């Protein structure tokens, strides 16, 4: 397998990998590094790639695990505080104004969910994977995935209604 | 009618019972401009989902490993090794040649000195012969 064959396989889902990494790691730079790392790992094992049934689902699982590892080592290094205070690079005045925008409020709300629910919301509502694929990626049973997804959606909705009512009254 | 449908779908959506197709319908409805006022909280949710998909991995993909650098280094090292072996062999040959030259020289010197010795021996032979002749000459007339 040469480089262009490999890219043909990888390009369709590299953005999904990146977005999941960004969901978990928050920082764009770190998500880029994680994505790069994953692609390198795939490239190194390129001979085995054809053996995998679903390389995309496999990659999503790998990036999820990689991000968990990164977060864990961060906690160990005691820089969690820095991480949660992280602000996107180039956060200017317009972004601060946008921050009050309800769309980015959703971003904050999702950030407050448990990691697992964040992943499932990301996979279902943003990337639009079907349940079978999500089960494979997160290694959970279909019912458990549905429960987590329902819980996540309801939490976000309740928070949104709260915020919405604040604005009205 | 349409609104009742959407409300039903929203209910199903919250229970995570909607299909992908139904979720796409919700997405198109809530990202359109005419959302019912009592469902407005979903507007930001679905437009967030939609806009999130615009983020892309823009960095160029790097597949060159550091291993490749090592390969180059090893190639360079082997070339250096080959050159040094070649040069070393050449130098060794030169040294060997010098050594044999010196040996040959030494042998030739030895030969020449030995030849000189031989010469001296011949000289003494000549003197012997001369004396023999002299003695013969002396003895002849008395015959």
């Amino acid at each position: 397998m040469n480089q262009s064959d490999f890219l043909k396989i990888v390009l369709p889902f590299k953005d999904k990998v990146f977005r999941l990494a960004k969901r978990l790691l928050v920082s764009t730079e770190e998500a880029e590094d994680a994505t790069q790392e994953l692609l390198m790992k795939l490239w190194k094992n390129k001979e085995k790639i054809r053996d995998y049934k679903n390389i995309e689902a496999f990659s999503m699982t790998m990036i999820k695990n990689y991000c968990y590892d990164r977060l864990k080592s961060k906690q160990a290094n005691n820089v969690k505080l820095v991480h949660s205070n992280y602000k996107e690079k180039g956060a200017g005045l317009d972004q601060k104004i946008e921050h009050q925008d309800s769309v980015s409020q959703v971003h904050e709300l999702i950030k407050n969910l448990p990691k697992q629910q964040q992943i499932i919301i990301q996979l279902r509502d943003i990337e639009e994977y079907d349940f079978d694929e999500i089960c494979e990626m997160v290694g959970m049973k279909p019912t458990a995935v549905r429960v987590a997804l329902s819980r996540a959606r309801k939490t976000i909705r309740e928070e949104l209604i709260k915020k919405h009512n604040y604005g009205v009254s | 009618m349409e609104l009742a449908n959407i409300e039903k779908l929203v209910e199903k959506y919250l229970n995570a019972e909607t299909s992908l197709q139904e979720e796409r319908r919700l997405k198109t409805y809530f990202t359109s401009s005419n959302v019912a006022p009592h469902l407005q909280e979903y507007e930001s949710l679905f437009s967030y989902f939609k806009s999130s998909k615009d983020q892309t991995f823009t960095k160029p993909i790097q597949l060159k490993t550091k291993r490749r650098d090592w390969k180059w280094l090893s190639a360079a090292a082997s070339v250096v090794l080959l050159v040094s072996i070649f040069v070393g062999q050449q130098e060794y040959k030169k040294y060997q040649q010098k050594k044999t030259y010196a040996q040959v020289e030494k042998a030739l010197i030895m030969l020449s000195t030995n030849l000189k010795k031989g010469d001296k021996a011949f000289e003494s032979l000549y003197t012997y012969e001369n004396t023999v002749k002299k003695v013969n000459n002396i003895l002849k007339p008395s015959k």
Side-chain angles (χ1 to χ4, degrees):
Chain A
M1 179 185 295
N2 62 26
Q3 207 153 321
S4 67
D5 288 338
F6 176 76
L7 289 178
K8 244 178 243 163
I9 294 173
V10 155
L11 284 181
F13 63 82
K14 69 158 172 51
D15 292 333
K16 296 180 185 178
V17 167
F18 169 68
R19 287 192 288 259
L20 182 61
K22 187 157 188 264
R23 170 75 53 209
L24 290 168
L25 298 174
V26 182
S27 126
T28 305
E29 282 83 5
E30 282 195 59
E32 278 170 352
D33 288 349
T35 311
Q36 179 64 49
E37 190 77 19
L38 174 97
L39 292 175
M40 281 284 280
K41 271 185 201 163
L42 288 178
W43 173 245
K44 271 184 197 160
N45 293 315
K46 57 184 179 297
E47 303 311 326
K48 284 183 238 156
I49 272 185
R50 295 197 198 278
D51 298 341
Y52 295 123
K53 266 183 290 167
N54 189 343
I55 181 71
E56 182 169 339
F58 176 72
S59 304
M60 294 303 268
T61 311
M62 260 174 80
I63 196 76
K64 183 204 78 179
N65 293 336
Y66 179 82
C67 290
Y68 271 149
D69 284 348
R70 289 304 313 258
L71 291 172
K72 231 183 256 171
S73 73
K74 244 181 230 198
Q75 258 170 343
N77 290 335
N78 219 2
V79 283
K80 202 189 165 196
L81 256 175
V82 180
H83 189 66
S84 59
N85 284 339
Y86 185 83
K87 279 210 179 86
E88 189 73 44
K89 208 167 86 178
L93 185 65
D94 46 355
Q95 214 163 356
K96 273 180 201 157
I97 292 167
E98 204 192 5
H99 198 72
Q100 288 148 7
D101 181 17
S102 51
V103 173
S104 56
Q105 255 177 21
V106 176
H107 183 77
E108 294 299 310
L109 290 178
I110 294 176
K111 220 160 94 180
N112 292 334
L113 292 172
K115 285 273 180 282
Q116 196 181 58
Q117 291 184 16
Q118 285 186 38
I119 294 170
I120 293 174
I121 282 273
Q122 175 77 24
L123 294 177
R124 180 67 180 188
D125 281 332
I126 294 167
E127 308 300 356
E128 298 177 345
Y129 283 113
D130 62 44
F131 277 110
D132 291 339
E133 284 175 303
I134 296 174
C135 291
E136 197 186 332
M137 288 167 191
V138 295
M140 286 163 67
K141 289 202 172 112
T143 41
V145 170
R146 277 182 201 272
V147 167
L149 184 61
S150 166
R151 227 169 258 167
R153 283 171 176 173
K154 279 177 181 162
T155 315
I156 297 169
R157 183 214 170 209
E158 272 161 34
E159 293 295 319
L160 275 176
I161 286 174
K162 258 190 229 165
K163 293 242 161 83
H164 204 71
N165 288 346
Y166 265 143
V168 173
S169 62
Chain B
M1 185 60 202
E2 168 75 3
L3 187 63
N5 251 334
I6 291 294
E7 277 171 355
K8 241 187 242 170
L9 278 183
V10 164
E11 198 56 42
K12 268 177 88 182
Y13 171 79
L14 287 178
N15 293 324
E17 284 158 355
T18 35
S19 67
L20 280 174
Q21 227 176 353
E22 289 168 329
E23 280 167 27
R24 261 177 226 140
R25 261 189 72 197
L26 284 173
K27 251 176 222 179
T28 36
Y29 173 78
F30 284 109
T31 47
S32 69
S33 48
N34 46 350
V35 177
H38 67 287
L39 292 175
Q40 247 165 11
E41 69 262 20
Y42 295 102
E43 207 179 347
S44 50
L45 183 63
F46 283 99
S47 49
Y48 171 77
F49 289 153
K50 206 177 173 191
S51 65
S52 287
K53 235 186 165 172
D54 297 337
Q55 289 181 307
T56 50
F57 181 70
T58 46
K59 258 188 156 183
I61 298 173
Q62 275 195 334
L63 297 177
K64 280 173 199 157
T65 21
K66 279 178 187 169
R67 231 197 275 156
R68 211 177 203 186
D69 296 342
W70 289 108
K71 262 186 202 162
W72 276 110
L73 197 70
S74 65
S78 58
V79 165
V80 167
L81 197 70
L82 275 175
V83 166
S84 59
I85 285 173
F86 182 71
V87 169
Q89 213 169 23
Q90 217 101 3
E91 287 295 306
Y92 182 69
K93 264 186 197 164
K94 257 189 211 168
Y95 170 72
Q96 254 347 34
Q97 275 170 348
K98 257 187 199 168
K99 215 172 152 188
T100 43
Y101 177 74
Q103 268 174 346
V104 167
E105 203 179 21
K106 213 175 156 189
L108 282 177
I109 286 169
M110 234 162 81
L111 188 72
S112 77
T113 47
N114 284 340
L115 275 179
K116 268 176 198 165
K117 270 187 204 164
D119 268 358
K120 268 177 194 169
F122 270 118
E123 262 169 41
S124 60
L125 260 183
Y126 284 138
T127 45
Y128 169 76
E129 208 182 310
N130 281 344
T131 19
V132 168
K133 266 182 193 168
K134 268 180 196 167
V135 170
N136 279 348
N137 281 343
I138 293 166
L139 287 178
K140 252 183 198 171
S142 66
K143 213 187 244 182

